[in-house]
Amino acid sequence: MQFDEVVYKIRIEPVGGLLKKKTKPEKRVILNGVSGSVYPGEMLAMLGPSGSGKTTLLTALGGRLGGDLTGTITYNGKPFSNAMKRNTGFVTQDDVLYPHLTVTETLVYTALLRLPRTFTKADKVEHAEAVIAQLGLTRCRNSIIGGAFLRGVSGGERKRVSIGQEMLINPSLLFLDEPTSGLDSTTALKIVSTLWELANGARTVVMTIHQPSSRLFYMFHKVLLMSEGNPLYFGKGADVLTYFSSVGYSPSVAMNPADYLLDLANGVATADSNEDQVAIKQNLVKAYKTQLSTVVKLELAVEGSLHTSSDDRMLKRWSNTWSDQFSVLLRRGIKERKHTSFSTIKIVQVLIVAVLVGIFWWQSSIDNLQDQVGLFFFISNFWGLYPLFQAIFTIPNERTMLTKERTSGMYRLSSYFMALTVGDLPMELVLPTIFYAIVYWMAGLKRTAGAFFSGLFVILYNVLISQGVGLAIGAVVMNQQTATTLGSVIVLAFGLAGGFFVQHVPIFIAWIKYISINQYSLKLLLASQYENDQTYNCGINQTCLVRDFPSIKSVGISMSGTILSVVVMAVMLVFYRLIAYLALMRVGVTRK
């Protein structure tokens, strides 16, 4: 891999108020003419203080940085392509893993998705097992990954799992962002030793690292030192102190070379130096341009003996078929999300609400028609609100994982979305079924199978649509706090326009009822329980038609209204999920 005069700029919008003069946005230089090369069998470490641009450069070299990026980056003499993406591993600083999956499950599912269809399922599993053994993860192979609030494997083991996911494809080029961050020195040494062995296996390894120990530093074949986006050194790690001594900067005492390099990058020459920090940085940038830049350029001009793989045409296609991707994603999604969907607190919550509702409406009678209408409205509202807020957090929580896997070209967006939709069905429909069965029996509603199952159908129908609304809000907004606020407003508006609280809505806002899920679900629930010509006792020795009851009349229980409600809700079911899918297309992907 070679990179020549890489420059990256970001646009900074001016901060101003109403009284301040409007100014044009400025551009800030993040990378300023960085060059270098790294070959198979070499491990390049990019060092520098926070904000030096090393992570930005790594992201650019990995083909994951858009925007105002100029310069030349080539792989085997060619620009970045889908074929190259399939043969490149990228390990982010934060380990993006599913917390409830075990180490083995995590690597097996990744192997099933990333390895090409030419491998059988048994071959892919065997490959995952080999990576587990290679990375020393055998002891924790059946332990869950864990997370912030879930005990799992250690930080070092989690990092090795992340590296293992990329090793599954046997990458010729491996990028790692701060692979030793937050780890003790012994664990960090184990990880870098593993990477060193990978590099010795004719792979190219590029990493950013903040402050490695001296043992780690001397394992690097090449070092790139950066400060404020400018290169200060590029070359062999063993020659770095010799170079800085030649330009007038050498440590006053024996110390870790990495520590001294960071001091220089921060503008600190020695502990007792009075030289200005800005001046030191300027001197080092000038020294690089006059003494090292030409050497780096000469190395870039030398043609390597590398050739593009003959499998380039094959790699441009998806590794697996749509159905294989869907199957693996479905199984993985169910295994991971069942822990949250069927968590104890959610089950207890639904059961408590069901029992409370059953007690309040205990053995209600049709003669207390207002009470029964209120019951159906509450059920419609509850199962419109509950699944909506559950679904709002689904996509924002999975955004990082989706971005990581889609950027690696693991699967199509359509296969992911369908697996997400289908996988949620059994989990999202079980609790409302139990809820409705409890409430239906305790409230003493109509004792016929037809009435019960038609009402249950409406509840499940309502759940699916509300879930679609939640997915759409979460995918469009992507900010959980903002999405929750927007969801609350939508639920409130749908509830007020549902036809129970207000029958005479002002005409300028009456249109909301036509998009209110609550109105259509309430209409269907009433139709499942009452007939158009059914009567009830509305006074002493006096009967009235159910359809003329004010709360029912404003909603209606006619056959035509029932059919229309079913059709409109079907349109909503498709529409909101389509919005969610279209919104997802902008989440860090290059292929749909």
Side-chain angles (χ1 to χ4, degrees):
M1 180 186 67
Q2 298 180 329
F3 48 101
D4 186 20
E5 292 296 327
V6 176
V7 176
Y8 182 67
K9 300 177 182 179
I10 60 172
R11 182 172 175 172
I12 301 177
E13 296 292 339
V15 179
L18 294 175
L19 300 179
K20 291 186 177 181
K21 186 178 179 180
K22 194 172 183 179
T23 58
K24 294 182 179 180
E26 299 179 354
K27 285 193 174 182
R28 178 183 174 187
V29 179
I30 305 299
L31 298 175
N32 189 16
V34 186
S35 302
S37 60
V38 56
Y39 295 92
E42 293 182 341
M43 182 162 61
L44 168 65
M46 294 188 274
L47 280 72
S50 299
S52 61
K54 55 185 185 295
T55 296
T56 303
L57 177 60
L58 185 81
T59 308
L61 298 180
R64 300 178 176 222
L65 187 65
D68 190 358
L69 179 67
T70 59
T72 304
I73 304 174
T74 59
Y75 314 81
N76 295 345
K78 294 189 175 183
F80 191 80
S81 63
N82 286 324
M84 190 62 218
K85 178 170 65 175
R86 299 296 169 79
N87 209 28
T88 300
F90 197 104
V91 181
T92 58
Q93 181 176 350
D94 298 322
D95 300 315
V96 184
L97 302 166
Y98 283 115
H100 293 96
L101 297 182
T102 66
V103 170
T104 300
E105 289 169 343
T106 299
L107 292 174
V108 167
Y109 282 129
T110 303
L112 293 174
L113 287 168
R114 296 195 73 173
L115 294 179
R117 65 179 74 108
T118 53
F119 287 74
T120 65
K121 181 179 178 181
D123 291 337
K124 293 180 179 181
V125 173
E126 184 179 351
H127 201 63
E129 295 286 352
V131 170
I132 289 174
Q134 183 180 0
L135 292 176
L137 295 169
T138 305
R139 186 179 62 85
C140 62
R141 55 178 298 131
N142 295 320
S143 300
I144 62 172
I145 298 297
F149 304 103
L150 183 65
R151 186 180 179 85
V153 297
S154 67
E157 290 167 336
R158 189 178 294 114
K159 178 60 68 177
R160 276 181 279 169
V161 172
S162 296
I163 296 173
Q165 286 185 307
E166 304 304 317
M167 285 176 55
L168 285 168
I169 60 172
N170 193 25
S172 59
L173 179 58
L174 181 61
F175 296 98
L176 304 102
D177 188 13
E178 301 279 3
T180 61
S181 177
L183 304 178
D184 60 82
S185 59
T186 303
T187 304
L189 178 62
K190 289 180 180 178
I191 289 177
V192 175
S193 297
T194 301
L195 297 173
W196 186 84
E197 292 174 359
L198 290 175
N200 280 349
R203 294 181 180 87
T204 304
V205 178
V206 181
M207 73 173 75
T208 63
I209 192 164
H210 183 64
Q211 199 162 6
S213 65
S214 57
R215 289 190 298 176
L216 296 186
F217 182 84
Y218 287 112
M219 297 176 71
F220 304 138
H221 300 94
K222 288 183 177 178
V223 169
L224 170 62
L225 179 64
M226 299 179 62
S227 176
E228 298 177 355
N230 297 296
L232 303 183
Y233 176 82
F234 180 84
K236 294 181 180 180
D239 298 338
V240 63
L241 292 182
T242 303
Y243 164 75
F244 282 112
S245 296
S246 69
V247 296
Y249 296 95
S250 58
S252 57
V253 296
M255 62 188 302
N256 178 3
D259 292 339
Y260 186 64
L261 294 183
L262 286 178
D263 286 344
L264 291 176
N266 281 306
V268 179
T270 58
D272 56 352
S273 173
N274 295 321
E275 191 175 356
D276 182 66
Q277 291 185 359
V278 176
I280 292 175
K281 293 179 184 179
Q282 291 175 345
N283 290 339
L284 291 174
V285 171
K286 183 179 179 180
Y288 174 86
K289 290 180 179 179
T290 57
Q291 298 195 33
L292 270 184
S293 179
T294 304
V295 177
V296 174
K297 295 286 186 180
L298 287 174
E299 186 177 352
L300 290 175
V302 177
E303 291 186 1
S305 59
L306 304 175
H307 301 281
T308 305
S309 169
S310 59
D311 292 329
D312 185 75
R313 184 174 56 85
M314 179 70 178
L315 289 169
K316 291 181 180 179
R317 300 203 303 265
W318 293 102
S319 299
N320 295 281
T321 63
W322 189 95
S323 59
D324 288 340
Q325 293 172 6
F326 170 78
S327 175
V328 175
L329 290 169
L330 178 62
R331 283 184 280 127
R332 187 183 71 173
I334 291 176
K335 199 169 190 67
E336 171 62 28
R337 288 195 294 276
K338 70 180 181 181
H339 297 281
T340 53
S341 296
F342 291 129
S343 63
T344 303
I345 190 170
K346 288 185 179 180
I347 295 174
V348 171
Q349 178 185 10
V350 171
L351 291 179
I352 289 177
V353 174
V355 172
L356 283 176
V357 171
I359 292 174
F360 275 110
W361 275 276
W362 177 259
Q363 298 300 310
S364 62
S365 169
I366 191 175
D367 294 333
N368 298 318
L369 194 55
Q370 180 63 29
D371 288 347
Q372 287 199 347
V373 175
L375 170 61
F376 289 121
F377 181 76
F378 174 82
I379 294 174
S380 172
N381 254 20
F382 180 75
W383 288 110
L385 180 148
Y386 188 83
L388 185 145
F389 281 100
Q390 297 294 322
I392 275 180
F393 302 110
T394 300
I395 291 177
N397 286 339
E398 293 209 358
R399 178 181 184 176
T400 307
M401 179 67 76
L402 178 62
T403 302
K404 169 193 169 184
E405 295 183 335
R406 289 276 295 138
T407 305
S408 299
M410 288 177 64
Y411 47 74
R412 299 170 176 84
L413 181 61
S414 57
S415 61
Y416 165 82
F417 190 76
M418 285 301 298
L420 175 69
T421 301
V422 176
D424 282 343
L425 291 181
M427 294 183 286
E428 296 298 330
L429 300 183
V430 170
L431 289 180
T433 301
I434 296 173
F435 174 93
Y436 192 65
I438 294 173
V439 171
Y440 201 90
W441 173 76
M442 294 183 69
L445 298 175
K446 194 173 182 180
R447 306 282 181 170
T448 65
F452 172 79
F453 285 108
S454 58
L456 178 60
F457 167 78
V458 175
I459 296 300
L460 300 183
Y461 206 12
N462 189 32
V463 167
L464 293 178
I465 297 171
S466 299
Q467 184 191 47
V469 177
L471 289 174
I473 294 174
V476 170
V477 178
M478 279 296 180
N479 179 286
Q480 293 187 359
Q481 185 174 1
T482 305
T484 303
T485 303
L486 179 59
S488 301
V489 173
I490 291 175
V491 168
L492 179 63
F494 284 175
L496 291 175
F500 179 78
F501 290 122
V502 185
Q503 278 83 47
H504 304 288
V505 182
I507 191 169
F508 64 88
I509 202 173
W511 58 269
I512 294 181
K513 70 179 181 180
Y514 297 111
I515 61 172
S516 170
I517 304 172
N518 299 75
Q519 180 195 230
Y520 296 111
S521 59
L522 178 60
K523 187 191 296 285
L524 293 177
L525 282 173
L526 295 176
S528 71
Q529 195 70 202
Y530 310 118
E531 297 175 5
N532 197 42
D533 57 351
Q534 190 172 351
T535 60
Y536 70 101
N537 294 323
C538 55
I540 301 175
N541 298 324
Q542 183 180 1
T543 60
C544 300
L545 289 171
V546 170
R547 68 170 182 262
D548 292 333
F549 188 77
S551 297
I552 295 180
K553 187 175 182 180
S554 62
V555 178
I557 55 174
S558 63
M559 180 58 70
S560 60
T562 300
I563 295 174
L564 178 63
S565 297
V566 172
V567 173
V568 172
M569 291 180 75
V571 173
M572 290 181 174
L573 180 65
V574 175
F575 174 75
Y576 287 120
R577 291 180 187 273
L578 180 61
I579 293 296
Y581 179 78
L582 294 176
L584 272 179
M585 293 174 71
R586 61 181 170 84
V587 182
V589 298
T590 56
R591 292 182 64 177
K592 308 297 184 286

